[in-house]
Amino acid sequence: MEGSRVKFLLENDKLSLVPVSELNNKKTVGIIGGMGPEATADIYLKIIKLYQKRFGAKLDSDYPRIIIDSVPIPDVINDFENKEKTLSILEKSAKNLEFSGADFIIVTCNTVSSLLTYIENEVSIPIINLIEEVKNKILDKSYKKVGLLSTSNTIKSGIYNLFLEKFGIETIYPNQKSQSKLDEIILNIMSGIKQKKDKIEIVKIIKELISQGSEAIILGCTELPLIIESYDDVDFFNTNQILAEIAVEKSLNGQGSVKASIGICGTSGSGSIPGSGPKKRR
């Protein structure tokens, strides 16, 4: 079956099949990215830095194979502009990554995490739930009240409250005025605009959340670590760092067996970073 699908790609889409003669024992990381593109790059670089720092990675073969599918979804900052289109893009991306050899998938966006239940059934490989991973980190620290910096749409979805409330953890949100300002800042960051005044405004919102009892702050938008990664007065849960850490952990967990690596992933402008990471069917 696998061979016939590869043959189909070669005959119709004229993609080249690149044989891999030697594979290391790392699993292949699949990334549904582009949400936003710079945040995706930050997470990718964090994975690389973790391999360098923790394992002394030096040669290309020291890293896992990583496939990034950067998808142009509709705006999801304030609301789902077109939920059906967004779902369709995410489902196709997940299928493309699985077909291209990914052993598991991470998604570089907090907001679309509320849609994961729709996507998981489309593939046979695991899709890591970022919100659950953040919840586990919070439980490790025994915090009972955490402030959330995120998009308005993430708050509307109630996804963090859904995961945290059952463990007795209260989610504290910015007031409406502060949240509107935060959405503007997130859009600025996505535009490549990182202003000192925006960072000052974020710190102001953090102080408001602390005054309401927040013991820690969730950077619940992958754009936010591009402008602020720490604040002395409170513990941060950086979702970019958490995604990178879980990707490294999962990439080291076991072995698979593929015979080839495809140089192009899917039809949505994605590409693969050759390395290794055999595919294992589940």
Side-chain angles (χ1 to χ4, degrees):
M1 181 65 176
E2 194 76 20
S4 63
R5 288 197 296 172
V6 171
K7 183 179 179 182
F8 177 85
L9 276 177
L10 288 171
E11 289 178 350
N12 292 275
D13 295 332
K14 298 179 181 178
L15 299 182
S16 59
L17 189 65
V18 183
V20 177
S21 57
E22 294 183 18
L23 297 169
N24 62 24
N25 64 352
K26 300 176 186 66
K27 288 189 174 182
T28 297
V29 183
I31 301 178
I32 301 180
M35 302 172 286
E38 193 172 351
T40 302
D42 180 55
I43 293 163
Y44 170 73
L45 287 174
K46 280 179 165 52
I47 294 171
I48 300 306
K49 294 297 183 184
L50 283 169
Y51 260 90
Q52 292 169 343
K53 184 176 180 179
R54 293 184 182 178
F55 312 111
K58 180 179 180 181
L59 303 175
D60 292 344
S61 58
D62 294 333
Y63 302 94
R65 181 180 179 223
I66 301 174
I67 312 169
I68 300 175
D69 193 357
S70 186
V71 294
I73 64 169
D75 176 47
V76 295
I77 302 296
N78 293 297
D79 206 347
F80 286 111
E81 274 188 358
N82 189 328
K83 188 174 180 178
E84 292 303 317
K85 183 177 180 181
T86 300
L87 269 174
S88 176
I89 291 172
L90 295 174
E91 287 171 357
K92 287 177 182 176
S93 180
K95 290 177 181 177
N96 286 342
L97 289 169
E98 179 179 27
F99 182 76
S100 297
D103 287 295
F104 64 92
I105 294 171
I106 63 171
V107 183
T108 66
C109 179
N110 286 258
T111 303
V112 302
S113 292
S114 62
L115 304 178
L116 289 189
T117 52
Y118 299 98
I119 306 165
E120 289 169 337
N121 293 331
E122 300 298 319
V123 292
S124 61
I125 58 175
I127 300 178
I128 305 303
N129 191 312
L130 171 58
I131 315 302
E132 184 171 6
E133 297 300 329
V134 175
K135 177 260 295 180
N136 292 338
K137 296 285 186 183
I138 295 170
L139 287 175
D140 287 343
K141 294 291 187 76
S142 300
Y143 291 129
K144 289 300 179 182
K145 291 184 177 182
V146 292
L148 178 62
L149 298 180
S150 66
T151 65
S152 288
N153 209 12
T154 297
I155 293 175
K156 288 177 188 176
S157 74
I159 187 70
Y160 269 101
N161 190 58
L162 178 68
F163 274 81
L164 298 178
E165 188 178 38
K166 65 180 71 173
F167 292 95
I169 302 167
E170 180 184 351
T171 308
I172 300 175
Y173 307 104
N175 60 45
Q176 188 173 353
K177 181 180 178 181
S178 294
Q179 184 58 51
S180 296
K181 183 62 181 177
L182 190 58
D183 286 341
E184 290 178 15
I185 293 171
I186 289 170
L187 286 170
N188 283 344
I189 299 169
M190 290 181 70
S191 303
I193 302 169
K194 303 178 185 71
Q195 305 175 99
K196 184 176 181 180
K197 66 176 184 178
D198 284 345
K199 185 173 181 178
I200 291 171
E201 187 65 33
I202 291 172
V203 170
K204 180 181 175 183
I205 297 170
I206 290 170
K207 288 180 178 179
E208 290 173 1
L209 294 174
I210 293 172
S211 70
Q212 295 175 59
S214 297
E215 302 168 280
I217 300 294
I218 302 170
L219 290 182
C221 173
T222 54
E223 308 302 325
L224 292 174
L226 301 178
I227 194 171
I228 185 169
E229 287 202 276
S230 64
Y231 180 62
D232 290 342
D233 292 349
V234 70
D235 196 4
F236 268 19
F237 292 99
N238 180 337
T239 51
N240 290 17
Q241 187 66 31
I242 290 171
L243 276 172
E245 288 175 358
I246 194 67
V248 169
E249 177 188 328
K250 295 293 184 184
S251 70
L252 293 168
N253 181 24
Q255 237 173 331
S257 59
V258 293
K259 295 181 180 179
S261 168
I262 298 175
I264 300 176
C265 167
T267 58
S268 55
S270 52
S272 66
I273 302 169
S276 63
K279 179 174 179 178
K280 181 178 180 181
R281 282 287 183 182
R282 291 169 178 78

